Every structure is written in structure tokens, then in C-alpha cells.
């Protein structure tokens, strides 16, 4: 049940924010943490906001969509990287004194982003797989063993995450919904999904209204 002061548009964000909060908790993000988030779609952006809330000092957002990287900068990413043009792992090592990130969260779910998640973290770091896309992924097993990297999945949320998400939204934790959400009629559902998959442009998240 939504409180009276929370509009239904903002209310749609409780569930995805809860998922992001859980992933950041699994990543053990604390004050001063250096974090990579792969993907600047809705879940990646919400994980970015959650990581900043947890005290991360460096939050690198990586995406191949320049418009989404601009949104990530506006949300507080300290660095925004397009892996199609730049060597992501090299940039991360430069930012962290050649150590690597304390944790990395893959909010995409492709084999390439899962590999980058593992390769980006320091010895003893945490690689969190949050995105669900392709199933099988080959990752650097010897690197995981030698660097004692923890690889963990993050799926959905617990009740505490859901309650925290609702409270944060009541506290205006996120940018105004109207500034980054696109509202369309339910009849445009198929076209909206196709656009988000094939050519999202500057669209971040679509809300469908019956």
C-alpha cells in the first residue's frame, strides 16, 4: 500500500529500487568504496544512487549509450565510460592505483559485461551479477581463484529492502520522476519494448498507464 503523499508514478519505482539496494548490500559498499556499475539503464542508475547513499567515493558508470551516460553523470557518477571507445579496465586501474574496484555490479547480464565485472575488481573484491540477459558466460576462473574474488548473484529483494525503498522515495531520494521517466499508454507497450531493445536513444524508463 502506498502512502497518500506518494503518487503512483513514483510508486512504480519501489520494486526496482529495492532490487538495486539489495545488489549494493551484496557488494558491501561502504564509506570510501570504489564501485563500478555496468549499465546505466533504470536498474543501473538506481544502483548508482544506492551506492552513493552507502558512501562510495568513486562510482564509475559504464554504458554504450551516450545519453544514458549523461543521465548517470547527473545522478552522481564520478566517472562515465563508454566501453566501445575506451578501455574500461585500464581506466579503472588508473583510478584505483592499479588495484581495481572494491566491487562491481553488472546490471546488464551479457557475457562481456560479466567478464568485465570480474576483471575490474581488486584482489578480494566482489563481483555482483544483477542483470538477467544471456545465460551462459565464460569468466576468468584462474583470476577468481588467484585474486580470491567473490562472485555473487543478486535477485529481487527482501522485505527490508522493499521497506527501505518505500521510505527513501517518500524522502525524495531520487530525481523527480518526470525528469527521467517516460509515460505512455498501455497500447504502446510493444513499440516501447522494441524501442528500449533496439534504439533507446535518450529514453531511460517507460511507464505504461492503462
Amino acid at each position: 500500500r502506498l502512502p497518500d503523499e506518494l503518487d503512483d508514478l513514483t510508486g512504480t519505482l519501489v520494486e526496482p529500487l529495492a532490487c538495486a539496494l539489495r545488489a549494493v548490500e551484496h557488494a558491501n559498499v561502504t564509506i570510501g568504496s570504489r564501485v563500478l556499475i555496468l549499465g546505466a539503464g533504470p536498474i543501473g542508475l538506481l544502483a548508482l544512487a544506492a551506492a552513493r547513499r552507502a558512501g562510495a567515493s568513486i562510482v564509475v558508470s559504464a554504458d554504450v549509450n551516450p545519453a544514458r551516460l549523461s543521465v548517470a553523470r547527473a545522478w552522481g557518477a564520478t566517472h562515465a565510460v563508454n566501453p566501445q571507445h575506451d578501455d574500461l579496465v585500464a581506466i579503472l586501474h588508473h583510478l584505483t592505483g592499479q588495484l581495481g574496484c572494491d566491487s562491481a555490479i553488472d546490471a546488464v547480464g551479457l557475457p562481456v559485461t560479466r567478464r568485465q565485472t570480474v576483471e575490474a575488481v581488486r584482489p578480494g573484491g566482489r563481483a555482483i551479477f544483477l542483470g538477467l540477459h544471456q545465460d551462459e558466460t565464460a569468466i576468468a576462473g584462474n583470476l577468481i581463484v588467484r585474486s580470491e574474488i567473490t562472485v555473487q548473484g543478486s535477485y529481487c529483494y527482501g522485505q527490508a529492502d522493499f521497506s527501505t525503498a518505500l521510505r527513501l522515495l517518500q524522502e525524495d531520494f531520487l530525481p523527480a520522476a518526470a525528469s527521467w521517466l517516460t509515460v505512455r499508454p498501455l497500447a504502446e507497450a510493444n513499440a516501447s519494448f522494441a524501442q528500449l531493445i533496439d534504439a533507446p536513444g535518450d529514453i531511460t524508463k517507460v511507464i505504461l498507464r492503462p
Side-chain angles (χ1 to χ4, degrees):
R1 182 183 297 275
L2 293 177
D4 293 337
E5 65 271 18
L6 201 67
D7 65 272
D8 59 349
L9 187 62
T10 306
T12 65
L13 302 174
V14 177
E15 190 271 349
L17 177 56
C19 293
L21 289 169
R22 183 174 183 84
V24 168
E25 181 180 359
H26 285 324
N28 287 349
V29 180
T30 59
I31 294 173
S33 291
R34 298 163 296 186
V35 183
L36 166 67
I37 299 175
L38 288 132
I43 296 296
L45 289 172
L46 294 171
L48 186 163
R52 293 307 304 263
R53 171 180 176 267
S57 59
I58 293 177
V59 181
V60 179
S61 177
D63 201 288
V64 298
N65 184 325
R68 287 187 170 180
L69 288 177
S70 295
V71 176
R73 291 188 191 94
W75 280 48
T78 57
H79 302 80
V81 179
N82 186 334
Q84 286 186 330
H85 305 304
D86 301 302
D87 187 331
L88 176 61
V89 173
I91 290 172
L92 292 171
H93 284 173
H94 173 72
L95 292 173
T96 59
Q98 305 305 315
L99 285 176
C101 293
D102 300 304
S103 58
I105 298 172
D106 171 30
V108 180
L110 291 173
V112 63
T113 55
R114 288 174 178 153
R115 288 195 297 270
Q116 288 170 331
T117 302
V118 171
E119 293 168 359
V121 297
R122 62 168 173 77
R126 300 183 66 83
I128 307 300
F129 291 174
L130 174 60
L132 277 171
H133 194 66
Q134 291 182 227
D135 189 11
E136 295 188 8
T137 298
I139 55 178
N142 287 349
L143 174 64
I144 292 170
V145 172
R146 290 176 177 142
S147 297
E148 298 189 346
I149 294 168
T150 297
V151 179
Q152 180 172 342
S154 182
Y155 183 65
C156 285
Y157 45 82
Q159 183 58 48
D161 305 309
F162 205 85
S163 299
T164 300
L166 181 58
R167 175 177 57 79
L168 290 175
L169 290 170
Q170 289 178 267
E171 298 172 356
D172 296 324
F173 171 64
L174 297 177
S179 70
W180 63 284
L181 299 180
T182 301
V183 181
R184 296 177 178 173
L186 186 59
E188 296 183 19
N190 288 346
S192 296
F193 277 111
Q195 178 184 0
L196 289 170
I197 292 170
D198 298 329
D202 60 356
I203 299 296
T204 300
K205 183 173 179 63
V206 176
I207 302 295
L208 300 170
R209 282 195 184 276

